[in-house]
Structures are given as C-alpha cells and as structure tokens.
C-alpha cells in the first residue's frame, strides 16, 4: 500500500464561491464525473471499485470474530418528524402472544405472532441508491432522471441491482474522537480532505483508505442525539463532509461512504443558499453509494480499544425492486 | 472435525403417531428443549452456538471473493396472496425523477426521489424471530407468550436483539440437486435426517454441518415457482424438513437454518391434522432461528461448480424493535 | 318535470369506429366538453350542477327514515389482487382487548384498542376525483396534468375540494333488475342511452334523471361476485356504461354517477384495443365524478319493494388532501 | 317538545372524590349503564335511539340546502406526533400526472393517477367505535374485551356494524361562542351539565337536545390550534366535557356526541391521577358513540348567523371490518 493510498489525501485544494452553488457544483461534477467509466449500461457506480480481491482482503481482517451491528433500531421512537412525509417506522402486530391457539384456529396448541411495518425507506439506517439524487434532471451515468425513476420506482438503478455487492473492507474514520471535544463534532463542522488525512494519520496504518473501501465516518452526532434528544437530527444542522471533499470521494476510488448523520454532508451547507450540494455531485456524477444514519458507536469504541480501524463489512440493503434507498443492517466483523 | 460433526446425522430414529401431533410435539420438545441452557434471561437461543471462533472460521472460507445475495426481490410481484393478511410489499414513491427541482422547491438544479414501503415483515426473505411461534402459550425459554409478545411487539426477544449475531459459516445442503429429479424436490417431500446425511455425504467434506453453523437447505421449490408461477408458494404444499428432524436440529447445535420455501418444514405436515409442528418444537423449545423464502439458486449453482458448499454468511435482519420476524438480505461470500 | 328530464335520453345516436378509439374519444370530448363552463379556476366540475335547490329536493324525499349504507366492507377479503399495486386494505391493531389496563400503563382499569390501515384509496367503494384520469396529458378543465397532479398529489382538484358537495337527490337505475336475467347483467353488457331510458321508463317517475342528480346504476355484478367469488371483479370484464353514453352523461347534467362495478364502464371496452375510453371523456372533459364498487343491493331491494327509486344521498369522501380518489360510505335515506 | 327535552339538563348534581377515580367511575357506570337495554346481542348502543322518526325529523331541517363538511383535511400536516404510534396519514401516489400514457402502457392517450394511504384510523376526524375503550376488561354490553376485540380486530362491534346508522338530527352546542372569550374555551375548561344547559338556553329552541340527536360541541380548540400551531392538540390539554356529564350523556338519550378536540372530555382529567375516565363510562357502559377532531368552524359560523343550531347530519364512517374507530367526513345540511 503506497503512501498515496494510505492518506487518501486530495492534492488539489478546492475553493468555491459561496454565492454560486450552481457554478461550484458544475465545476466539481466536471472534475469528478465517472459517467461512462464503466460503460453506458452501468448500474453499479462506485461498487465497481469493490472487486473480488477487495472482498478477500476484507475477509482477511477478521481476527477476533467479534461482530457489530451498525444499524439503529427501527421503531416509532426514531428521529423522523414528518419532513417530506418521512415518518418513523410504524410496526404493528397481525397477531401476538396474546392470541391463543384456539382463537387463531390452529391445532395442537401452536400459536404464532406476525407483524407488518410501514416505513419510508430512508427513515433510519440506509443506503442511498443511485436513483436518489439528480443534477438538472440527470441521474447517474447521464441518464434522464424522468425516464429512469418514475412513479413505478427506479427502473434502471433500483437498489436491487446492488443487492450482492456490499461486502468488503470497511474503514472507520472516527472524526469525533480525533477532532472533537468529548468525542463529538459540533453541528456545522465541515470535514475537509485535510481533516480526513489528519484522522487517517492519527489512527495509523489500519485506517488507510483506498480503492474499493467502504468508509465509515463517525462524527458523534448520533451519540449526542441519544444523549440530548433527537431534536433536528433528521433534517437539521449536522457535522459532515465539506463540499470540498468531492474530489477526495472521487480520487480515492472508494466504493461507498457512510456516516452517523442524516445527510452525510455538513449542514448548513457551505453556500449562501443551497441544499445538499455534495449529494448533487456524489450520486449522479461520481455514482457513489452513501450510507446515512449508521450507528458507529460500538464499533468505534472497539476500534479505539484495539487500535485497528479496518474490518470486514457486509452491508446488504433489502432489495426492494426499484427503490432509491433501502434499509440495511450493516455488520462489521473484526 | 469428527465424523459425527461431518455427517451431523441423528443417531436416534424418530417415529410418531400420525393421529397424535400434540403427543409427538410434546415428546420432541422434551427431548430437544434448550430452556435455561443459557440462563433464564437468554434472548439469543441457538445464536449462542455461533461464537467468535465460528465467525473467524467463516471468514477464512472466503477464497475467490465472490458474493451472492440470497434474498428474493421485494416487490408487488411476490408470492403473497393475502393469507393471514400477508400481502406483498407495496412500494410507492414520495417523489421521483419526474419531479423537477423547481417543483420540489430546491435550489441549484438538485432534485431527488424518495420512497416508502408497506409490508408484512414475513412477506419475503426473512428470519423468524424467537417470538414468532409458541407452544401452548409458552415462548422461547419457557416464557409466557402473553407477557412476552403483546400488541406492542416482542418485548423480550424482538429481532433487534439478534441484530449483530448472524455472521459466520454457512453451509449449503442442496437437497434438490442431490435427491431431486431435475434438481428439485416435489411438494410434500419430507427431508429426514438420513436424507440430510446423504446430502452431506454426497457433497463432501465442505458440507459438514456442526455447532454454530448456519445451514441453508435448497429444495428447488423457488426455482419451480419462478418457472411455473407462484401458485401456493406462500402458504401451500412444499418440500421441507420432516418432523423427524427435530432432534437433528437440536443435536447438531446449528445456529440457524434457512430454506427456499415459505415454511421450512414439509407441507402437508406429517400428521392427520396439524399445522407446522416442527416450528412448534424448533422455535419455542430449541430456540432456533429459521430463515424462509431464501433464494439459494445462484449460490447453489456456484457451489455445484466448484464443489465447495461452505462460505462466509452475513445475514443481519433489519432490527425492527419488537419484531417477531424481519426481512434480511443474506450475503454469502466464497 | 318535463319528459326530457324524465327520460334523460340522449337524442343524438352515437356511433364510432371500433378501430379508432382515439378518434372516437376526441369527437366525444369535443361534443361533451365542459371546460371553462364554470370558469378557469373551477375545481368542482359537475358538482356545480348539484345546487342548494337540489339538496332541498333531496332532503324532501326522506319519508320513512330508513337509511342504507352503499359501501362494501373494507377488509382483506376484498376484490383486489394486486393489479397496478392495488391491494385490499390491511387493517391491524395497535392495541386490542387482549391488552390489559396494566400492560397499557393506564390507571383505574381503563384500557383501549386502536388500529391502523394501509390501503389504496381506490381499493373499495370510492369516488374518482377529477385528478384521476387524463386525456393526452390534460386534466379537468384543460389543465396540464403534469402540473396538476404531481408526486405530491393533486395540487388543484384534490378530493378535499369536493368534501362538502355530495349531498342531494340520488336515483337508482336498477339495470340488473330491469334488463337482466335473474336480476344481473352479464359481463360485457354495454348499457346504452336507450337502455337507460328504458330503465327509467320501467321504474316510473321517481326514477327520472335530471340536472344535479347523483345516479346509481346497479348492474348486479357485485351480487354475482358475492355469490360466485371475486374472480376478476376488480379489473376484469364487467357490465357497465357503453362508450355511447358520453353524451347522455353530459347532456343530462347529472352531478355524478356510481355503479356496483370496479370501473363504471363496460369491459371489455367497445374498441379493438382500448382502455377505459369513457373515463377519458367523462373525467377530464365532462368533469364528472364517478363512484365505483358501490354496494347497491339493499337499497335496490328496498326500491323494488316500494317502487320509489329516488332518495336523499349523502356521499362525502374522506378528504385526503391531494387525493385523486377517496373511500366513501354513501348513505341513502328514504 | 317539552322543557325537559329543551334543556336536556341532568337533575342530579354529581360530585366525586378526586383521589378515587375508580370509585367515581364505578358509581357513574352503575347509574348510567345501558347493558342489556337492547338485548344481549346488541351492537348498536346509543345508535338505537336514532330511529326512523328522528331521521325524518332531521331531513325536515333542510331549508336552504347548504352543506358543510365537518372533517379536517387528512394529510401529513395534521396534529399527530407519534403518541401511541399515531402518525398523521401518509398519502403517496402510485402514479400521477407526471406519468405519460406511454409510460403507463395505456393506449389512445389515456393516463391516470392513483394513490395509497397509511393511517391510524383515529388520526383525524373520526368516530370511536364501541370496541375502542374497556372498563376492567369489559366492553360494551358487558362483553369480555379479550374475546371481543382481538388482534383480528373487533369481532362483534366493529365499526362496520354502524355503517348505516349515522343519519339524523344534529345539534350544535357552541360552547366556545357562548362561554368563551373570543369564541374559544381554554384548555382544562370542564363543561358541566349546567354549562350545557346554559348553552342550550342561550342558543334557543333550535338547540334543544333530546333522544336520538347527534350533539356537536364546539370548544374552539381547533380554531386555536389552526391559529397558534398544533402543539399538543392531539393528546394534550384541552377543553371538554366534565366527568360530571356522564349522567347527562345517559339521561338525554342522545345517539352520539362529537367535539372539535382529540378526546371529547376535558384534559387534564378531573382526578389526581386519571386517564379519560368519562370514556370509561361512556363507551363500555352507555354504549355511546363519540366523534373526535371534528371541524365545526364553518358550521358554527353559519349557525351563529342564522340562529338555527339544528341540521340534518350524515356521518357514516368508512366501514373497515373490525375497526374500533374510523375516519368520517360528516356532512351537515341546513
């Protein structure tokens, strides 16, 4: 592994005009586009970087056999408050232990419980699919958004097309622990490529980031929400990646990135008037898979304990056909 | 690995009176009970067998780095027909690529798609939780079902308690290929412990089954349903495990078992009047996790190709708090 | 009341080319358009015909004080089979009589049951809203469909805009009883304006149809489905209005029409290749409200008994904001 | 109409011990029980008072032909905040005006919009069914709650059994206008029988309350919530009926009562520790139908304008089979 891979640092300093998000986005998109990198029919985006060798490498990282779920609990006590019709999951029972075998019309004393759920697919721990965000009507790989994601769902890059891919090497960048006071970054903290390089340097060689990795960035925002109440955890101010990370996300050739925040990038955004500009580059242009609202707390504590920040990560989304995002229970195994 | 572990065969022949399911179930429960094996507070059941060493062993099986999703697609074209209010998932868009940036009131040309789903948690590929089935009002570990699984869900053994456990060694037993004509078992075919031993013997040492393994049994029923139409795939006749496998499931100390059918055990059941008698032993008494409606087709083809029937399996259910079953996208990595 | 009002018969015979649905639809739309009849901002369509005088007239028809619900039961045993993601309603309990006051954490022995539902809005007895059907991208009153009904719902003519209007004089035309064998029309039976006139004539003066009335047409298809099983009741062949009724629907100036079938017009449609051509005229061009899957059985029996086919009808849809259709429990009071 | 009917006033003054809700509830239940009044099989409760004569009387009140919807809009901007898993309705489109005829695979230029909803049945304007509340495990008419309302829903008194009944004479008691400052009662204001009598007296003879009437009590709480924001409108403090109204509700022999608040009775309740004690008497013992979250604003303005507080009311709940409550769009016609 070369020093370049180890640091993953962008060599190009990035600046932009706060008053011109459209211009900055267009420039970043031009620099970072992966359109047609894997052919016109591609539906895998940066998952293409996660090849079989990377998967073998990931598995080789399992030493102690401990596993960590990186999912929040899915229930009515979650962070959603109805913004854009996103509610928390509503879980109800079709039958329960209160029903008897007789009332269920079953023989020989058997009875059962069964349940249903209603949920926005991005209500809790999830992957953004490649059909989640568009730039001026264009989806990943230059496709026309209106032809790609209709009322029937994502007809081309639905999350089911990524069902088998998310298994490989995971790397934890614990930004909260390295850069924050008390292990947490404040809302509005913008993580720059230099910050990422500093975290990698501080954590040591096991934190090197390179092609095909799935990078997990812990800001501490979830820990804070758990302690202080959800507040605007889902949809409000948050620490996260700076718009200036677009090139880093592209150049490192990572397969995916996930954070413990609702939106992965810093909020408020770094423009006078903007909404998730880094998404607008990352998903349609880079073809990057973004994980949000991951629970990295237990894993981070373990990594801090043994000084190893890499692990095998299996994070397969539920393959809802045509979904533009999907719940996932990521497992990190060390 | 000993011969005993290799074959996993039960040494006790099991017989029962077709007219007396209650008696047969009670006898099997008495033989196979794991109540209090891991203490009164246990919520993990047979997941206790899947220890860290097993997880390390599982990871060591990754050689080529190929991964397989063992999930069916989750959509409206699934097998459910409304039995016990189980519908197929209904996926709808909150917004799509048809909506413009302007209509979404977003700046700088960004727009997005978002979606929701309504689904029974056991509509498609899933794990049964330990609160799914009761025997005469008793849940896993002897708990009173009515106090354990209420209208609020499973208050003790909800699937979220198993969120981190399902990562380890998977073994495919391709019953359809070994025993069936054209690679498929017919509906009503009851797989006995002798059948399982024969499959293991036929497949060779990589198919050995032992403590802590997650066993995947392919009957071919899903392949048939895909070819011929769903018919009664969800709720009707099916090949599956014989009631006589209760001891095998217990004695092998496997962590979990999954099949490509809706109900894991053979249907019609092997009694004059019965409903899922093996469930009644396996879940509340053995504390066994059962996976249903898994898609083992691609994996099975690969295993048949390279003759290796073991793999690393990560199969983490979405941790809906209090759920008695949950969707999962299992990943097998070889 | 003049003879014209009594018969409601169209005076223009209508013919069309079975091979040219587009041409026939365009011609009917030209003849029957109500665009701008009530101004460019109109959202009420034919509800404009149901004025206060009509409502007073309707109330005056209440003689015996008997009331009839014209709604089917909303439950999982309904006719939907998943076509276009339309499922039957799924009703689940949040809590029930099985939960105790203690388990609900309530004082003084109170306990309660609560429930939720998931349902397509057109799963059962319902009104089509004016935003339900479009003709070449045009909605009611000539609006651009894509600007009127977006992923956010119907921004202009959502069913909530009709929340207060549906109360007035109802008239039952019992086509099954007058024209059918055993009180039922067979699937594919096309009711023409002449048929409607004959029914009115047979039923007598109380069956006169005129401006502002809500016409309920009973074909007997629901009775048949109840007896023989749902089959393709929702989405398949059915008796219903002929395409030739477009002018009748327009010229009579009725406020609304409802049937006991899923789609109000005859199926198969009366063209070589077509899908609901009468809808394409009636909703976007006439601005007509159409009720579907109404249960007219009890009411019809009563009307046949006393020979009075008119009644007060209150049929207020649940005002889901932006809905293009909505469930309704219509009450007929005689 | 006698003076007794006009005032509807209870003659018995009611007092209770704030520290003993159970005792007060038991005493009120004993005084007010209607168990077996209409036989052991009864499922209609106080709807029995709404007979055909009352329905004729109600229809006779229609003079001007104006109609008012008494339903709130059903949408994501409603008052629910997740308490007891009650969310606001989530309405999504299956297809919309953004989809083209071609993309929908329809011929001759037709296209359509369709939609679904997920909602708690008591999320907005609704009727409580007779299976909604229990007293020490007993439901309406003395039935065992656990046998009456199971995980399958209300097997006996499901709201569908009341599908045809709610049409008759409605009376508005505008408590806010008569007793409040600025037309609104403050939260915690307990309406006593004396208050109700005073309102009736102030409003005049058209406000007389008697057997079989549906009484609509406007507190002004909804107007306040619309002006000031929902706050705790659904589940928090509210003006409403005093516990002391139990006898009035029983003795007047009204068919139903509805308010513009979430819970009909005053909150906080008039005991040291209590939860909805008047419900505990009214539903299981009186068999009373209670409407909640009705929008009485327009109707109240009209009544204040013409001095007539009675009207025809049709308020048929959507007949979800087994539901313990159901949405309704009540129509008042004057």
């Amino acid at each position: 592994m070369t020093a370049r891979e180890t640091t993953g640092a962008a060599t190009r300093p990035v600046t932009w005009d706060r008053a011109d998000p459209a211009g900055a986005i267009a420039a970043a998109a031009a620099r970072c586009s992966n359109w047609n990198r894997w052919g016109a029919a591609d539906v895998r985006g940066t998952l293409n970087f996660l090849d079989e060798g990377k998967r073998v490498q990931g598995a080789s990282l399992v030493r102690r056999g401990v596993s960590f779920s990186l999912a929040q609990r899915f229930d009515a006590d979650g962070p959603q408050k109805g913004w854009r019709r996103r509610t928390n999951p509503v879980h109800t029972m079709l039958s329960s232990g209160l029903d008897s075998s007789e009332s269920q019309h079953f023989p020989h004393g058997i009875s059962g419980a069964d349940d249903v759920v209603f949920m926005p697919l991005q209500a809790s721990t999830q992957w953004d699919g490649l059909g989640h965000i568009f730039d001026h009507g264009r989806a990943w790989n230059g496709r026309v958004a209106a032809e790609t994601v209709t009322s029937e769902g994502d007809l081309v890059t639905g999350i089911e097309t990524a069902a088998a891919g998310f298994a490989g090497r995971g790397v934890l960048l614990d930004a909260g622990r390295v850069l924050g006071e008390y292990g947490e970054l404040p809302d509005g903290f913008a993580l720059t490529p230099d910050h990422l390089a500093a975290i990698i340097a501080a954590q040591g060689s096991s934190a090197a980031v390179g092609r095909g990795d799935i990078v997990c960035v812990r800001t501490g925002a979830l820990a804070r929400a758990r302690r202080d109440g959800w507040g605007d955890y889902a949809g409000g101010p948050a620490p996260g990646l700076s718009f200036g990370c677009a090139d880093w996300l592209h150049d490192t050739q990572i397969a995916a990135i996930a954070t413990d925040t609702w939106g992965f990038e810093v909020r408020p955004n770094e423009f006078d008037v903007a909404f998730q500009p880094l998404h607008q580059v990352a998903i349609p242009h880079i073809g990057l898979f973004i994980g949000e609202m991951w629970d990295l707390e237990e894993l981070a504590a373990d990594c801090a304990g043994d000084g190893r920040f890499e692990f095998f990560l299996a994070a397969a989304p539920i393959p809802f056909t045509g979904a533009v995002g999907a719940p996932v229970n990521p497992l990190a195994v060390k």
Side-chain angles (χ1 to χ4, degrees), chain A:
Chain A
M1 190 165 285
T2 71
R4 189 203 192 105
E5 285 168 322
T6 300
T7 65
T11 54
R12 293 172 288 188
V14 178
T15 61
W16 59 86
D17 177 357
R18 281 190 63 89
D20 183 22
I25 291 163
R31 292 194 308 271
C32 300
S33 173
N34 283 328
W35 288 5
N36 288 309
R37 182 173 193 149
W38 299 285
D42 181 70
V43 296
R44 293 172 48 83
T46 54
L47 261 185
N48 285 290
F49 292 128
L50 204 177
D51 59 17
E52 300 182 349
K54 176 58 65 173
R55 216 166 269 131
V56 171
Q57 181 195 359
S60 75
L61 301 173
V62 176
R63 308 279 167 81
R64 290 154 45 213
V66 290
S67 70
F68 302 91
S69 163
L70 309 186
Q72 297 190 35
R73 297 297 165 263
F74 284 61
D75 57 39
D77 296 325
Q80 302 297 335
K81 300 200 292 192
W83 179 71
R84 300 190 83 79
R85 287 180 284 171
R86 286 187 186 165
T87 63
N88 290 307
V90 180
H91 169 241
T92 62
M93 303 305 291
L94 290 161
S95 56
S96 77
L98 297 169
D99 299 279
S100 67
S101 182
E102 292 72 25
S103 70
Q104 295 190 319
H105 308 294
F106 284 139
H108 53 71
I110 192 174
S111 65
D114 214 352
D115 39 15
V116 301
V117 76
F118 173 81
M119 66 176 295
L121 290 176
Q122 309 210 356
S124 186
T125 306
Q126 110 276 349
W127 281 119
D128 284 353
L130 294 185
H132 178 47
I133 295 291
F134 316 111
D135 178 15
H136 289 86
R138 292 284 164 171
W140 161 240
N141 224 21
R143 294 188 180 93
V144 175
E147 298 170 358
T148 307
V149 186
T150 73
S151 296
E152 303 273 329
D154 187 329
L155 307 175
V156 181
T157 42
I159 202 74
E160 77 280 6
T161 61
F166 291 103
R169 177 178 180 260
V171 184
L172 178 74
L173 302 188
D174 194 340
R177 201 169 302 245
V178 174
L179 302 176
E181 273 193 296
Y182 311 111
E184 298 168 14
L185 300 182
D187 290 339
F189 189 106
L191 285 162
T192 65
D194 285 344
H195 286 129
L196 299 178
I199 295 165
I200 293 168
Q203 294 186 167
S205 62
S206 74
V209 169
R211 176 183 167 110
D213 289 331
I214 301 172
V215 178
C216 302
V217 179
R218 181 188 169 276
T219 68
L222 178 60
R224 185 162 61 249
R226 287 215 172 112
R227 188 182 60 238
D228 298 344
W230 286 119
D232 289 324
Y233 174 80
L241 266 65
S242 167
F243 181 74
C245 288
D247 298 84
W248 188 93
L249 294 170
H250 174 266
D251 297 352
T252 51
Q253 302 187 356
I254 59 173
I257 189 166
T259 69
D260 58 352
T261 64
W262 74 276
F264 132 83
E265 60 184 294
V266 65
R267 294 278 300 169
N269 303 125
E270 301 150 293
F271 293 91
D272 296 341
V273 176
F275 185 72
Q276 303 299 70
L278 187 54
H279 275 74
Q280 195 171 342
V281 178
I283 295 180
H285 294 284
I286 303 181
L288 182 67
F289 284 90
I290 300 172
E292 289 163 342
M293 293 193 272
W294 290 33
D295 180 355
L296 304 169
E297 295 306 300
E298 281 189 61
L299 173 66
D302 187 88
C303 292
D306 74 359
R308 292 182 64 242
F309 292 87
E310 60 187 341
F311 41 85
F312 186 60
L313 180 63
I318 301 298
F320 293 106
T321 305
V324 297
V328 61
N329 181 355
L331 285 189
V333 189
K334 294 182 66 175

